[in-house]
Amino acid sequence: MTLGKSDLRSLLGAAEDPMLLVDRNWSIVEANDAAEELFGHELPGQPLVRALRNPDAIRALSSVLDRGGRAKAEITLSNPDPIPFRLRVASLSGVEAGEAAAVIVLRDISPWQAAQQMRSDFVANVSHELRSPLTTLAGLIETLRTTASDDPEAQARFLGIMSREAARMDRLIGDLLSLSRVEADERIRPTDPVDLIATIRNVLTIIAERAEASDRTLSFEPDLEACLVAGDSDQLTQVFQNLLENAVRYSRQGGSVHISIERRKPMPKFATEVWAISISDEGEGIAPEHIPRLTERFYRVDSGRSRQMGGTGLGLAIVKHIVNRHRGRLVITSRQGVGTTMTVLLPVLD
Ligand SMILES: Nc1ncnc2c1ncn2[C@@H]1O[C@H](COP(=O)(O)OP(=O)(O)OP(=O)(O)O)[C@@H](O)[C@H]1O
Ligand SMILES: [Mg+2]
């Protein structure tokens, strides 16, 4: 099979990764769109080293042009921010000037590196979150065995702390399991008709007692009879439970939490109309620099405070995954000193 020049161009054009063909004199013979995006336009005819000035890349190409075969290297290019690339070079048969003697393919490995980093951060975070209650438990067991062995009052107090810490570990593991379950079926869109009003009412009965005990008033007076979405009822319950728990937990004592639901016109990226459920609290609010990061796992504005209240920083990460699975969106708006509104947008099921 022989490939003409225009076939070659189509072949390169079909590749998403930057590709360059160079001849024996180190001149660029052909470049695809991705390469031009990376190195600038009008590459053919230019000396390769003008575009790709990296010593490891030059070494790899030099070995392929001298000895044939293949070579690879990991390089960082500034564009203008540094981007890590994996570079591969393979020899071609061209011998004369202007004939392709080697092909260079570059692959941006920053998404892979970011995923790698996220995975190791996640393991580090989980270990840290589990270790602190475990350290407390181990310390108190030792105290019960020794100094508190015949002090019933201290024993009762320590057992109380121990059961709280054990409950915290249990909650953390429960949250991790539900996060991994939600992630596992995020692509499978749920299909059951679920009424949001009934779901929210159900959540309100679950958390009413806690809200009352901590002196927050909850209000929800929908004008509508039923608001249907195609959903997973347990998961949607979890969404509203996490959001309402946050609203109660991070709002001002004596403040009120208001829940509203309305039907909105389709917005960009939505084909159908959406239900917009807003949960507004009168809390201290969230500084704007934190807002984009709130749905990251373990991200907390004030981790000491959240932890003290039993939080692990997974609540909003779970909410985000469930909302994504329902093809919806979570919108967070907040004004410091005034309060926070968390709005869930979900496609209407008619
Ligand atoms: N309504 C709110 N008002 C102010 N800050 C909030 C509000 N909701 C969330 N936050 C901030 O976002 C952080 C992340 O919330 P998230 O629900 O993910 O975790 P958490 O409440 O700390 O723990 P968890 O929900 O796992 O028990 C919280 O620690 C808090 O700092
Ligand atoms: Mg929470």
Side-chain angles (χ1 to χ4, degrees):
M1 180 184 74
T2 48
L3 285 180
K5 223 175 158 68
S6 74
D7 288 337
L8 205 60
R9 212 165 282 145
S10 320
L11 199 66
L12 294 194
E16 279 181 48
D17 291 331
M19 287 178 84
L20 297 163
L21 299 183
V22 289
D23 68 8
R24 297 233 144 255
N25 305 324
W26 293 69
S27 288
I28 298 172
V29 177
E30 201 64 66
N32 66 357
D33 293 347
E36 301 220 311
E37 212 167 282
L38 182 63
F39 297 118
H41 292 281
E42 289 165 22
L43 291 171
Q46 275 194 39
L48 176 83
V49 287
R50 195 180 296 163
L52 187 58
R53 210 171 295 146
N54 179 286
D56 292 324
I58 289 171
R59 209 168 299 132
L61 179 61
S62 169
S63 109
V64 168
L65 288 180
D66 289 348
R67 292 188 289 277
R70 292 172 188 192
K72 57 186 173 188
E74 283 198 9
I75 62 171
T76 303
L77 299 177
S78 308
N79 190 30
D81 297 326
I83 305 174
F85 281 94
R86 186 174 299 134
L87 170 140
R88 287 171 188 275
V89 189
S91 78
L92 299 171
S93 60
V95 285
E96 287 178 28
E99 280 182 358
V103 54
I104 300 175
V105 188
L106 289 142
R107 158 77 47 103
D108 177 353
I109 54 172
S110 51
W112 177 78
Q113 281 192 347
Q116 211 63 352
Q117 183 65 39
M118 250 174 78
R119 203 166 308 147
S120 68
D121 286 352
F122 181 66
V123 172
N125 276 323
V126 171
S127 315
H128 174 77
E129 292 295 329
L130 282 172
R131 178 170 284 158
S132 41
L134 202 55
T135 308
T136 310
L137 283 175
L140 289 177
I141 289 171
E142 200 44 39
T143 314
L144 286 176
R145 271 214 189 112
T146 54
T147 44
S149 62
D150 43 28
D151 181 350
E153 222 171 275
Q155 285 173 357
R157 191 154 44 87
F158 292 157
L159 287 171
I161 300 174
M162 289 168 78
S163 101
R164 265 206 307 283
E165 293 297 296
R168 202 168 90 162
M169 293 173 79
D170 187 55
R171 254 198 324 269
L172 174 63
I173 290 166
D175 280 353
L176 285 169
L177 287 175
S178 68
L179 190 59
S180 91
R181 259 195 307 270
V182 180
E183 271 181 328
D185 57 19
E186 192 166 329
R187 280 160 214 277
I188 310 162
R189 192 171 179 178
T191 49
D192 293 342
V194 178
D195 174 19
L196 295 174
I197 292 183
T199 309
I200 294 168
R201 288 224 164 95
N202 175 29
V203 172
L204 285 173
T205 58
I206 302 172
I207 77 154
E209 206 177 320
R210 206 173 327 154
E212 204 167 308
S214 62
D215 192 22
R216 269 84 164 177
T217 337
L218 300 171
S219 67
F220 178 48
E221 282 135 21
D223 309 325
L224 302 141
E225 290 281 299
C227 303
L228 292 183
V229 294
D232 176 316
S233 164
D234 288 346
Q235 289 190 342
L236 289 172
T237 301
Q238 195 169 15
V239 164
F240 297 114
Q241 187 166 345
N242 288 0
L243 293 178
L244 280 165
E245 263 171 12
N246 282 351
V248 167
R249 196 186 267 170
Y250 305 109
S251 65
R252 176 169 61 74
Q253 211 170 4
S256 64
V257 174
H258 183 69
I259 306 142
S260 67
I261 183 159
E262 62 174 19
R263 194 176 170 124
R264 288 195 192 157
K265 292 256 167 292
M267 275 170 279
K269 286 213 246 172
F270 285 103
T272 58
E273 292 190 319
V274 291
W275 294 117
I277 307 94
S278 295
I279 295 163
S280 308
D281 64 53
E282 300 175 338
E284 73 247 50
I286 308 163
E289 66 268 24
H290 294 296
I291 292 180
R293 300 200 56 192
L294 291 182
T295 55
E296 286 175 22
R297 303 152 174 197
F298 297 111
Y299 191 85
R300 289 169 286 203
V301 175
D302 177 346
S303 54
R305 176 149 164 254
S306 151
R307 200 170 290 149
Q308 202 189 351
M309 299 205 236
T312 55
L314 291 174
L316 289 179
I318 294 172
V319 167
K320 186 182 148 193
H321 281 291
I322 296 178
V323 171
N324 283 349
R325 183 181 175 213
H326 287 76
R327 307 295 187 267
R329 254 178 69 197
L330 173 70
V331 181
I332 305 174
T333 53
S334 187
R335 278 179 59 201
Q336 278 181 289
V338 180
T340 302
T341 299
M342 301 264 172
T343 304
V344 178
L345 303 173
L346 294 167
V348 167
L349 176 72
D350 277 316

